[in-house]
Amino acid sequence: MNAPATFESFYLFDGEKKITIEKDTKVQNAAIFTVNKEDHTLANMLRAQLLKDPNVIFAGYKIPHPLEHKFILRVQTTPESNPSEALSNAITDLISEMSLLEERFKDALKEKQESAFD
Amino acid sequence: MAAEKIFLYNNTSLVQDEVLAHRLGLIPIRADPRLFEYRPEGQDRPEVEQNANSGDTIEFALKIKCKRNPKAAKDCTDPDELYINRNVYSKHLKWLPIGEQPKLFEKHGGIRPVHEDILIAKLGVGQEIELKMHCVKGVGKDHAKWSPVATATYRMLPEITLLRPIMGEQAHRLQKCFAPGVIEVVEENGEPTAKVVNPRLDTANREIFRHDDLKEIVKMGRVRNHFLFSVESTGCLPPQELVTEALLVLKNKCRVLIREIEENWLKSS
């Protein structure tokens, strides 16, 4: 009866931005990214990849309320880099890693199909 | 692709309209969703619905009536013999091609449900169902009927370590504790010794702990970076394509995000 529509978990409303950035005033080189209409699928991936970056001092995410579909990601870097750059690099790395996985999967499939013909 | 809007013209069966519509929505349709587009928004008004676009909708019709079978024997009691069309199966759904769909799909043999023998409803004599349904493209996140994946699970590769070489009668007992194929007893220096040959087949049953002498010698664990995924499809796409599509979905999420970042904040914070 009170259930919200299921498409609300991934459909952006009018005027809602996908991602907003706020600088953290308490420390240097830190920013909080708010991403709308996303869940742990993306947030955990980004956080894990950010932690692999040597320039990143802090990376963590939380979902403020399970009924609101958004997450906030806090990133703090060394002065050599800045949070936006770290995040962009992390996303680019993730895209290339997934392309690699796709390629390896296709190669393994081809191998399997060829060995089935023998 | 799954049924979203059902246009009921006649339903005198014992299955309620909404229950019938729910069941029809859950029937998997054998159609590659990548060949279709999402329906544009604002197209939910009834008069627009009737004009389905060939690029985003698949139309099916179901028209069936249950009659008494005149050829049945006098003393027959089997209901399948006595009546015609007593059971409404998914094979009774007839595809009504729209626009250019016949050309596009004739090499696939037309569009039809994945399984022919899904029981939709049961009819009594004189009851009939007449309806048209429109199938559109959607995501599993919206409603499970649109998910092309049946079950997807993963586990980590099991790891069995023998802390001491196990020989003789103990080796044979050890082999029985695990699933067949995991442990092999080979002749080494004249003594039958147990060797872990295929840990992948292990089912992590705890049979080994019932043997006091063996439970100290065997260490069971998981390899933390080796995952075994199992993906089952509902039938519209083969499972290997599901994995590829899933990776594409993840990539698109990343691409959308990076585009937004670069459009609004040009890396200068």
Side-chain angles (χ1 to χ4, degrees), chain B residues 194-253:
Chain B
K195 257 195 169 48
V196 179
V197 122
N198 196 353
R200 192 162 166 153
L201 297 171
D202 181 42
T203 53
N205 63 30
R206 292 162 60 81
E207 185 68 26
I208 193 78
F209 294 107
R210 298 175 70 195
H211 300 255
D212 290 322
D213 54 337
L214 291 175
K215 70 179 180 194
E216 310 290 322
I217 322 173
V218 175
K219 196 157 84 120
M220 308 233 294
R222 301 269 178 183
V223 182
R224 303 222 77 82
N225 55 10
H226 188 143
F227 295 91
L228 301 169
F229 277 85
S230 156
V231 178
E232 183 188 337
S233 159
T234 53
C236 59
L237 287 174
Q240 53 267 31
E241 283 179 47
L242 286 179
V243 178
T244 332
E245 288 297 310
L247 284 169
L248 250 110
V249 167
L250 278 178
K251 268 203 278 190
N252 278 333
K253 275 192 201 263

Side-chain angles (χ1 to χ4, degrees), chain A residues 11-109:
Chain A
Y11 182 75
L12 269 173
F13 294 142
D14 285 329
E16 223 181 2
K17 287 212 161 106
K18 187 77 189 176
I19 180 167
T20 48
I21 309 183
E22 246 184 57
K23 273 212 217 107
D24 192 355
T25 52
K26 302 179 201 142
V27 285
Q28 287 181 335
N29 299 108
I32 300 186
F33 302 89
T34 308
V35 182
N36 281 314
K37 304 302 160 130
E38 286 291 346
D39 59 0
H40 299 273
T41 309
L42 189 60
N44 201 12
M45 238 180 23
L46 291 176
R47 180 199 60 94
Q49 187 63 35
L50 278 166
L51 286 174
K52 293 188 188 159
D53 187 347
N55 283 329
V56 165
I57 312 175
F58 181 94
Y61 82 92
K62 71 174 173 184
I63 299 191
H65 196 282
L67 291 176
E68 283 173 19
H69 305 275
K70 64 173 175 195
F71 68 85
I72 62 178
L73 176 71
R74 184 172 181 276
V75 185
Q76 188 185 349
T77 61
T78 58
E80 275 131 42
S81 173
N82 67 64
S84 300
E85 201 183 305
L87 185 61
S88 306
N89 289 340
I91 298 179
T92 323
D93 285 341
L94 277 174
I95 295 179
S96 42
E97 194 163 333
M98 284 190 273
S99 301
L100 181 67
L101 188 62
E102 212 181 319
E103 231 186 86
R104 294 282 166 83
F105 184 70
K106 290 200 173 122
D107 291 340
L109 262 182

Side-chain angles (χ1 to χ4, degrees), chain B:
Chain B
M1 301 294 294
E4 169 79 346
K5 286 244 159 48
I6 319 277
F7 301 92
L8 267 173
Y9 296 110
N10 193 1
N11 176 22
T12 42
S13 76
L14 284 179
V15 180
Q16 296 93 332
D17 294 346
E18 60 268 23
V19 175
L20 183 62
H22 182 244
R23 290 177 72 80
L24 288 168
L26 292 171
I27 298 173
I29 310 282
R30 183 196 294 281
D32 190 339
R34 295 168 293 190
L35 301 172
F36 291 88
E37 289 146 23
Y38 288 101
R39 225 184 226 180
E41 302 151 40
Q43 297 257 337
D44 263 4
R45 298 183 311 279
E47 59 276 17
V48 186
E49 282 295 333
Q50 294 282 6
N51 310 324
N53 192 345
S54 77
D56 59 29
T57 316
I58 302 175
E59 193 172 344
F60 284 93
L62 177 65
K63 190 178 158 87
I64 192 163
K65 181 171 178 153
C66 180
K67 299 195 216 10
R68 206 174 280 273
N69 186 0
K71 298 187 209 133
K74 270 288 162 96
D75 51 354
C76 180
T77 49
D78 180 14
D80 293 324
E81 264 286 317
L82 282 172
Y83 310 112
I84 308 177
N85 290 337
R86 180 188 183 67
N87 298 327
V88 181
Y89 290 105
S90 50
K91 66 172 183 259
H92 294 127
L93 286 171
K94 195 165 151 293
W95 177 41
L96 304 174
I98 316 169
E100 296 123 32
Q101 282 177 354
K103 274 188 296 179
L104 286 168
F105 296 105
E106 66 177 311
K107 57 181 184 304
H108 299 286
I111 299 183
R112 57 192 185 288
V114 174
H115 304 280
E116 287 191 334
D117 52 356
I118 300 178
L119 182 62
I120 303 176
K122 280 191 168 199
L123 298 173
V125 177
Q127 294 173 352
E128 60 181 301
I129 299 180
E130 192 180 335
L131 56 85
K132 277 211 179 82
M133 59 193 230
H134 285 189
C135 303
V136 293
K137 184 169 167 172
V139 259
K141 234 179 169 181
D142 195 352
H143 193 286
K145 67 188 177 190
W146 277 301
S147 175
V149 184
T151 331
T153 48
Y154 75 91
R155 61 187 181 119
M156 290 188 263
L157 182 71
E159 189 177 25
I160 305 171
T161 3
L162 302 173
L163 301 169
R164 231 188 347 92
I166 297 181
M167 287 167 287
E169 171 269 341
Q170 274 195 333
H172 286 282
R173 251 194 309 139
L174 187 75
Q175 190 179 40
K176 286 210 181 62
C177 285
F178 290 94
V182 177
I183 304 259
E184 225 176 62
V185 179
V186 288
E187 283 285 331
E188 232 177 71
N189 307 328
E191 275 253 35
T193 333
K195 257 195 169 48
V196 179
V197 122
N198 196 353
R200 192 162 166 153
L201 297 171
D202 181 42
T203 53
N205 63 30
R206 292 162 60 81
E207 185 68 26
I208 193 78
F209 294 107
R210 298 175 70 195
H211 300 255
D212 290 322
D213 54 337
L214 291 175
K215 70 179 180 194
E216 310 290 322
I217 322 173
V218 175
K219 196 157 84 120
M220 308 233 294
R222 301 269 178 183
V223 182
R224 303 222 77 82
N225 55 10
H226 188 143
F227 295 91
L228 301 169
F229 277 85
S230 156
V231 178
E232 183 188 337
S233 159
T234 53
C236 59
L237 287 174
Q240 53 267 31
E241 283 179 47
L242 286 179
V243 178
T244 332
E245 288 297 310
L247 284 169
L248 250 110
V249 167
L250 278 178
K251 268 203 278 190
N252 278 333
K253 275 192 201 263
C254 291
R255 286 202 185 111
V256 161
L257 207 57
I258 204 168
R259 208 180 312 144
E260 287 281 331
I261 298 177
E262 286 175 359
E263 266 174 32
N264 300 322
W265 290 274
L266 314 159
K267 298 191 183 184
S268 59
S269 42

